[in-house]
């Protein structure tokens, strides 16, 4: 992701920013005003976790030449896992630094082919995708021993002719090579190879990404045995229209027949059914176009020929597209569902009113980068890693499209049934990760690095794997686990609304009319740690270990005030030792709308949803004067805490903390007024 010119601020732009943030919609922004927060809604916390088990550790490898970019200094630059289409159960993993590895029967990885050694001008020391990028095995590999690789070359190789005219000021070549093994069943490659395609790229980014065969195509489908080649824009799309130019391969997905000979170089065929065959000035190899960095694509096994593409954006949008033949994804006129201005390069703009006439295809899911307020138009470390629609044996995952942010390692899903072209993008959910012992972990913890460099793999049974370049490990997804799913049945309290059941900090501020607990007067700051000013502890029922609190709450402070709040207290040990869930209209400052811990010090925010970079937490819990259902679950053994509002399927807030394994529950606020009713508490005795 290249660094473009710095943002240009003006009074007009500032006014437009305020208008956009107030409306929260693209429609409210003027056509010539930039949109500072294209997607205000963050991915939804799902409360569902993937259980993973480590299955392989790859040896350390080094780029050629030695890199200066720390992002290339990885343990092993493994970037995909697949299974050979021969029924042997062997799996393959390419390493950008040069080796093609095989895995068999749960054993250690071994080198099947040293790709780097075959090409004297092999190059992997600059650019995120340089080196041995991908491998695709012919569906008939068992019989013909044929597979294809992508690698990059520099130096003397730049004097070689390219299949198509190279981009100006070419810095490297991307090559597709065909290999034929003498013995398809052998554990080490022996055979021949030939060059199929050679492209020239102007920058060491956005080259040939994935190549693959459609695994859902049967032997009698016209798509069977045709090779798809995803080609990036070489970094030039930010300032040119080349991705829209049908006379070049850059910024396109190509489809070729590697068994044919009808191409310009005579080394492959051009399928007659390709959408631009016979169109004047267009390459017949093009299957779809208008792309910046078409990183990973896959087909849904249940919907043959339905391809999903994870497309890496410029400075704002990471997107999933359902791609069909002839599609134009819009780059560099569009980024996601927004207008891209090449004269700006930093900000996105609303779509024009006459957008329909352009016939661009828009994402079926997308998320944005959320840069910090002082952003200088540089790379903030966001890039999508496309994945798969899961059709394996884990019931909770079936029908979900699993993907990730390859940099920070967040793992996402969308429901494939909601990813529909021409409709609003599907909701994106975040998935938690659990190790084989049931402990919640993060992918940076698994990888041992904040930059995970996460990729996906899939075997012949449809089971999914996670790969990290940071430490060269692979984990298999073995199941799912529900967050805060502990048992809370046991001792309970129901609807304890009388004054004798509560111990308020300041009794005269409270009312107990019979069916409600009312905080009638705002609390005031007290000496000691910063914590809720006023609350009442439920004395009935004693202390709980794992506990679930269900209640209805209402904010009585006028809606016009933005800092309205009530809190649900749990794990209460003393006035300076407890947890609380803060339910607020405001989610833009640290003390509001989150899960907090008071441990003989100022309250500490512990929820997963808080993003300090943009100063934003979970969506506002309560924005009106109505009653709202609230559920808080605290699992003593694991420290998992989940907060649900209005019966939502997914938790609004989550946290993990084991400081207080037991305590009482309560209700209160900082300096607002509100009330509680229909209280039910159930849990295990402390």
């Amino acid at each position: 992701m290249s660094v473009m010119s710095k943002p240009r601020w003006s009074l007009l732009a500032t006014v437009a920013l305020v208008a956009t943030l107030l409306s929260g919609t693209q429609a409210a922004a003027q056509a010539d005003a930039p949109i500072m927060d294209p997607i205000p809604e963050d991915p939804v916390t799902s409360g569902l976790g993937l259980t993973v088990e480590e299955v392989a550790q790859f040896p350390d490898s080094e780029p050629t030449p030695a890199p200066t970019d720390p992002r290339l200094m990885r343990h092993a630059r493994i970037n995909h896992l697949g299974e050979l289409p021969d029924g042997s159960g062997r799996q393959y993993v390419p390493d950008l630094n040069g080796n093609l590895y095989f895995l068999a029967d749960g054993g250690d990885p071994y080198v099947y082919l040293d790709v780097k050694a075959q090409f004297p001008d092999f190059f992997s020391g600059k650019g995120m995708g340089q080196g041995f990028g991908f491998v695709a095995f012919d569906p008939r590999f068992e019989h013909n021993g044929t597979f294809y690789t992508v690698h990059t070359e520099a130096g003397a190789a730049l004097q070689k002719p390219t299949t198509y005219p190279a981009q100006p000021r070419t810095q490297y070549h991307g090559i597709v090579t065909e290999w034929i093994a003498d013995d398809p069943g052998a554990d080490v490659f022996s055979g021949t190879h030939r060059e199929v395609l050679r492209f020239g790229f102007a920058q060491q980014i956005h080259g040939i990404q994935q190549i693959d065969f459609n695994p859902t195509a049967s032997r009698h489908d016209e798509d069977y045995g045709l090779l798809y080649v995803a080609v990036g824009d070489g970094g030039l799309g930010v300032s040119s229209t080349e991705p829209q130019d049908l006379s070049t391969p850059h910024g396109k997905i190509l489809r070729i027949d590697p068994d044919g000979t009808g191409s310009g170089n005579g080394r492959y065929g051009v399928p007659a059914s390709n959408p631009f065959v016979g169109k004047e000035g267009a390459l017949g190899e093009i299957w779809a176009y208008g792309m910046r960095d078409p990183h990973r694509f896959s087909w849904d096994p249940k919907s043959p020929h339905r391809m999903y593409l994870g497309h890496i954006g410029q400075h704002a949008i990471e997107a999933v597209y359902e791609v069909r033949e002839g599609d134009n994804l819009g780059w560099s006129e569009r980024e996601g569902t927004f207008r891209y201005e090449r004269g700006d390069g930093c900000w996105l703009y609303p779509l024009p009113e006459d957008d329909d006439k352009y016939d661009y295809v828009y994402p079926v899911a997308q998320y944005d980068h959320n840069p910090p307020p002082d952003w200088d138009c540089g790379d903030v470390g966001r890039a999508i890693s496309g994945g798969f629609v899961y059709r394996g044996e884990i019931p909770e995952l079936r029908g979900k499209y699993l993907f990730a942010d390859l940099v920070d390692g967040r793992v996402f899903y969308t429901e494939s049934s909601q990813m529909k072209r021409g409709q609003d993008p599907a909701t994106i959910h975040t998935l938690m990760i659990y190790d084989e012992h049931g402990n919640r972990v993060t992918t940076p913890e698994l990888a041992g690095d904040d930059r995970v460099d996460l990729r996906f793999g899939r075997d012949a049974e449809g089971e999914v794997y996670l790969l990290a370049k940071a430490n060269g490990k692979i984990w298999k997804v073995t199941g799912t686990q529900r967050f805060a799913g502990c048992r809370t049945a046991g001792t309970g309290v129901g609807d304890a609304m009388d004054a004798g059941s509560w111990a308020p900090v300041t009794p005269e501020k409270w009312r107990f009319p019979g069916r409600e607990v009312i905080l009638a007067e705002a609390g005031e700051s007290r000496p000691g740690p910063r914590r809720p000013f006023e609350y009442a502890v439920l004395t009935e029922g004693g202390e709980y270990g794992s506990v679930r609190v269900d209640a209805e709450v209402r904010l009585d402070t006028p809606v016009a005030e933005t800092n309205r709040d009530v809190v649900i207290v749990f794990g209460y040990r003393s006035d300076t030792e407890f947890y609380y869930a803060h339910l607020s209209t405001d989610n833009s400052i640290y003390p509001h709308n989150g899960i907090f811990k008071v441990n003989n010090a100022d309250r500490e925010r512990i929820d997963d949803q808080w993003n300090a970079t943009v100063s934003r937490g979970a969506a506002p819990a309560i924005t009106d004067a109505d009653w709202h259902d609230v559920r808080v679950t605290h699992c003593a053994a694991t420290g998992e805490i989940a907060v649900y509002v209005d019966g939502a399927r997914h938790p609004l807030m989550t946290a993990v903390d084991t400081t207080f394994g037991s305590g009482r529950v309560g209700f209160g606020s900082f300096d607002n007024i509100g009330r509680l009713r229909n209280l039910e508490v159930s849990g295990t005795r402390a």
Side-chain angles (χ1 to χ4, degrees), residues 292-561:
R292 178 183 180 272
D293 195 7
H295 187 251
R296 291 290 183 267
F297 58 84
S298 64
W299 288 265
D300 180 358
K302 191 174 180 180
S303 302
H305 311 299
R306 179 171 288 177
M307 174 195 282
Y308 291 110
L309 168 70
H311 185 268
I312 297 177
Q314 175 66 7
H315 285 316
I317 304 298
E318 303 302 310
V320 181
Y321 291 83
E322 182 195 334
V323 186
R324 302 174 187 173
E325 61 180 25
D327 277 351
N328 180 1
L329 276 57
W331 177 255
S332 56
E333 307 295 332
R334 302 287 183 268
E335 184 177 349
T337 56
F338 304 91
R339 177 165 55 93
Y340 178 81
E341 288 287 340
R342 285 184 295 276
D344 185 328
C346 293
W347 308 109
L348 298 181
Y349 295 78
L351 298 178
E353 293 184 359
D354 62 349
D355 184 64
D356 288 346
K357 74 179 184 182
Y358 297 102
D359 202 27
Y360 294 130
V361 173
Y362 289 114
V364 293
Q366 60 181 359
Y367 66 98
D368 66 5
H369 288 192
N370 284 333
D374 60 350
W375 180 55
D376 65 355
C377 201
D379 183 2
V380 298
R382 298 288 184 271
I384 193 171
S385 181
F388 307 96
V389 176
Y390 182 83
R391 300 294 181 188
E393 295 301 317
I394 304 172
E396 294 84 359
L397 297 181
R398 288 185 191 135
K400 290 177 169 56
Y401 177 75
L402 306 177
F403 63 107
D405 190 285
L406 61 88
V407 180
D408 65 25
R410 285 177 296 165
V411 181
F412 305 116
Y413 79 81
T414 57
E415 297 289 352
S416 62
S417 60
Q418 296 178 7
M419 296 197 299
K420 297 181 179 179
R421 290 163 52 116
Q423 298 187 14
D424 290 339
T427 300
I428 296 177
H429 302 81
T430 58
L431 283 160
M432 298 178 184
I433 306 295
Y434 289 87
D435 65 20
E436 60 266 36
H437 305 296
N439 302 312
R440 201 187 79 159
V441 294
T442 65
T443 54
E445 288 171 343
L446 288 175
D449 198 304
D450 287 341
R451 184 182 178 91
V452 180
D453 270 331
L454 192 68
R455 302 295 191 277
F456 278 89
R458 180 170 61 178
D459 63 24
E461 302 301 319
E463 301 306 332
V464 175
Y465 298 74
L466 303 180
L467 302 80
K469 292 181 185 177
N471 59 1
K473 290 186 177 183
I474 295 181
W475 300 267
K476 183 178 182 179
V477 176
T478 57
T480 58
Q481 184 168 325
R482 282 286 170 186
F483 182 78
C486 58
R487 180 179 179 272
T488 57
T491 302
V493 173
D495 212 24
M497 297 291 103
D498 60 284
S501 298
W502 296 86
V505 171
T506 313
E508 58 267 26
K509 295 182 181 293
W510 293 79
R511 305 289 182 270
F512 298 91
R515 294 187 177 182
E516 299 174 355
V517 171
I518 303 173
L519 175 54
E521 298 180 33
E524 299 176 356
S525 180
R526 297 177 289 124
R530 186 74 173 179
R531 61 201 188 283
F533 298 166
E534 188 63 40
Y535 59 84
V537 174
L538 180 66
T539 56
E540 185 176 340
E543 294 187 5
Y544 295 90
S546 294
V547 67
R548 191 178 90 182
V549 181
D550 288 278
E552 292 180 70
V553 300
R554 193 179 87 183
L555 284 167
D556 292 340
T557 301
V559 174
E561 296 189 26

Side-chain angles (χ1 to χ4, degrees), residues 5 30 50 84 158 204 281 324 339 352 419 422 502 507 536 650 663:
S5 58
Q30 298 178 6
L50 303 179
L84 293 168
L158 299 186
Q204 288 165 333
R324 302 174 187 173
R339 177 165 55 93
M419 296 197 299
W502 296 86
H650 304 291

